């Protein structure tokens, strides 16, 4: 039913708007599972914001406050804080390539559930069109990333706050928010700055998130 063409068609025709993607939720026998597809029909390993949305849907439907959702065969523990807030436990991200330079920007390839190229950006933000061109030059660097990559630039506001800009492959646009990208950026910041707090507020154009790291980074949380 949901092949690549069909998914892309659905995403581009709902209410005459182009939406970011399609999420399929399996609610069978409390064994919850989720799959996320970009609006070009491509499957993505994780959409953490989608996982947060699914958690609230499950809570409203079944009144469960503690449960797990499986995505890409990885189980994510969920805690419902209230009807508008959810907490998700997260494993430590993995540096796949560290401190590499792509299109004159030094950053790291981090797998935080989805794959991101994360850059600590120290200049003033360019306008959206210019920033999108920079992101696209990195995303389409087929030599470094033959399968494409999500791109995240972050700026340090203070020791407990960063600002993140995200470009997502498969949607091919700057996003208002990307939680897995925010998680990857916050991890890169904390791992490389000894004065960083273990509680990081992430500012996205679409809102904020809080990421809490434990002392050994093995079981972290996003709210």
């Amino acid at each position: 039913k949901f092949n690549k063409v069909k998914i892309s068609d659905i995403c581009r025709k709902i209410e005459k708007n182009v939406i970011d993607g399609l999420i399929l939720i399996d609610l069978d026998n409390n064994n919850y599972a989720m799959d996320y597809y970009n609006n070009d029909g491509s499957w993505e390993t994780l959409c953490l914001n989608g996982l947060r949305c699914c958690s609230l849907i499950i809570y409203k439907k079944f009144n469960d406050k503690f449960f797990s959702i499986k995505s890409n065969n990885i189980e994510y523990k969920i805690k419902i804080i209230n009807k508008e807030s959810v907490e998700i436990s997260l494993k430590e991200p993995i540096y796949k390539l560290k401190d590499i330079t792509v299109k004159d920007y030094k950053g790291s390839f981090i797998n935080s559930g989805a794959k991101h190229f994360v850059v600590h950006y120290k200049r003033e933000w360019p306008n959206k069109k210019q920033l999108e061109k920079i992101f696209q030059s990195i995303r389409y660097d087929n030599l470094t990333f033959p399968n494409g990559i999500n791109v995240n630039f972050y700026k340090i506001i203070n020791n407990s706050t960063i600002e993140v800009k995200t470009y997502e492959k498969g949607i091919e646009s700057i996003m208002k928010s990307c939680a897995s990208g925010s998680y990857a950026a916050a991890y890169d910041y904390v791992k490389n700055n000894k004065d960083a707090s273990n509680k990081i507020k992430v500012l996205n154009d679409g809102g904020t998130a809080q990421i809490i790291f434990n002392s050994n980074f093995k079981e972290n949380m996003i709210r």
Side-chain angles (χ1 to χ4, degrees):
K1 291 182 180 179
F2 292 100
N3 59 41
K4 191 171 183 177
V5 173
K6 180 66 174 176
I7 290 168
S8 180
D9 189 52
I10 290 171
C11 290
R12 296 177 189 284
K13 289 188 176 179
I14 290 180
E15 297 181 353
K16 297 181 180 179
N17 293 312
V18 176
I19 61 174
D20 295 333
L22 174 70
I23 295 174
L24 302 181
I25 317 174
D26 186 350
L27 303 175
D28 185 40
N29 297 321
N30 293 328
N31 295 316
Y32 307 131
M34 181 194 94
D35 273 307
Y36 171 78
Y37 298 85
N38 296 305
N39 63 18
D40 68 351
S42 61
W43 177 78
E44 184 55 87
T45 52
L46 175 67
C47 175
L48 190 49
N49 275 336
L51 198 63
R52 296 163 84 189
C53 293
C54 289
S55 299
L56 292 177
I57 289 170
I58 289 168
Y59 169 61
K60 290 175 182 179
K61 186 174 180 65
F62 300 109
N63 202 34
D64 286 349
K65 290 188 176 181
F66 302 92
F67 51 90
S68 296
I69 301 177
K70 188 175 287 188
S71 179
N72 189 27
N73 292 317
I74 298 172
E75 200 167 85
Y76 294 89
K77 295 178 183 177
I78 311 296
K79 176 183 177 182
I80 301 298
I81 307 300
N82 55 50
K83 64 181 180 179
E84 295 180 348
S85 182
V86 59
E87 178 181 283
I88 300 176
S89 295
L90 300 167
K91 301 298 183 184
E92 183 176 9
I94 300 170
Y95 279 106
K96 307 296 285 186
L97 295 170
K98 192 170 184 180
D99 296 333
I100 61 172
T101 299
V102 182
K103 304 301 181 185
D104 296 324
Y105 291 91
K106 185 179 179 180
S108 295
F109 175 12
I110 299 175
N111 187 339
S112 61
K115 297 172 182 177
H116 297 270
F117 183 69
V118 175
V119 173
H120 176 202
Y121 190 74
K122 301 177 183 179
R123 292 171 252 169
E124 290 298 315
W125 294 118
N127 64 48
K128 185 176 179 180
K129 189 172 182 179
Q130 290 172 320
L131 187 60
E132 193 164 60
K133 285 183 178 180
I134 295 168
F135 283 154
Q136 286 173 341
S137 70
I138 297 170
R139 180 263 186 265
Y140 287 106
D141 187 317
N142 294 325
L143 185 63
T144 312
F145 307 116
N147 297 315
I149 195 77
N150 301 299
V151 185
N152 301 89
F153 283 13
Y154 71 91
K155 290 176 69 171
I156 300 170
I157 307 302
N158 55 50
N159 75 325
S160 61
T161 308
I162 63 173
E163 183 181 11
V164 176
K165 303 286 187 182
T166 298
Y167 182 95
E168 286 193 19
K169 68 180 178 65
I171 302 172
E172 308 309 336
S173 178
I174 293 176
M175 308 304 295
K176 290 185 176 180
S177 175
C178 173
S180 65
S182 295
Y183 182 43
Y187 178 74
D188 187 69
Y189 165 55
V190 171
K191 288 287 284 186
N192 291 288
N193 291 272
K194 64 180 181 179
D195 296 326
S197 170
N198 71 319
K199 296 181 180 179
I200 303 299
K201 182 178 182 180
V202 182
L203 309 178
N204 290 287
D205 291 338
T208 64
Q210 185 182 48
I211 297 168
I212 302 171
F213 296 97
N214 72 8
S215 57
N216 62 8
F217 295 98
K218 298 304 180 186
E219 191 74 25
N220 310 303
M221 294 181 294
I222 186 169
R223 292 174 179 167

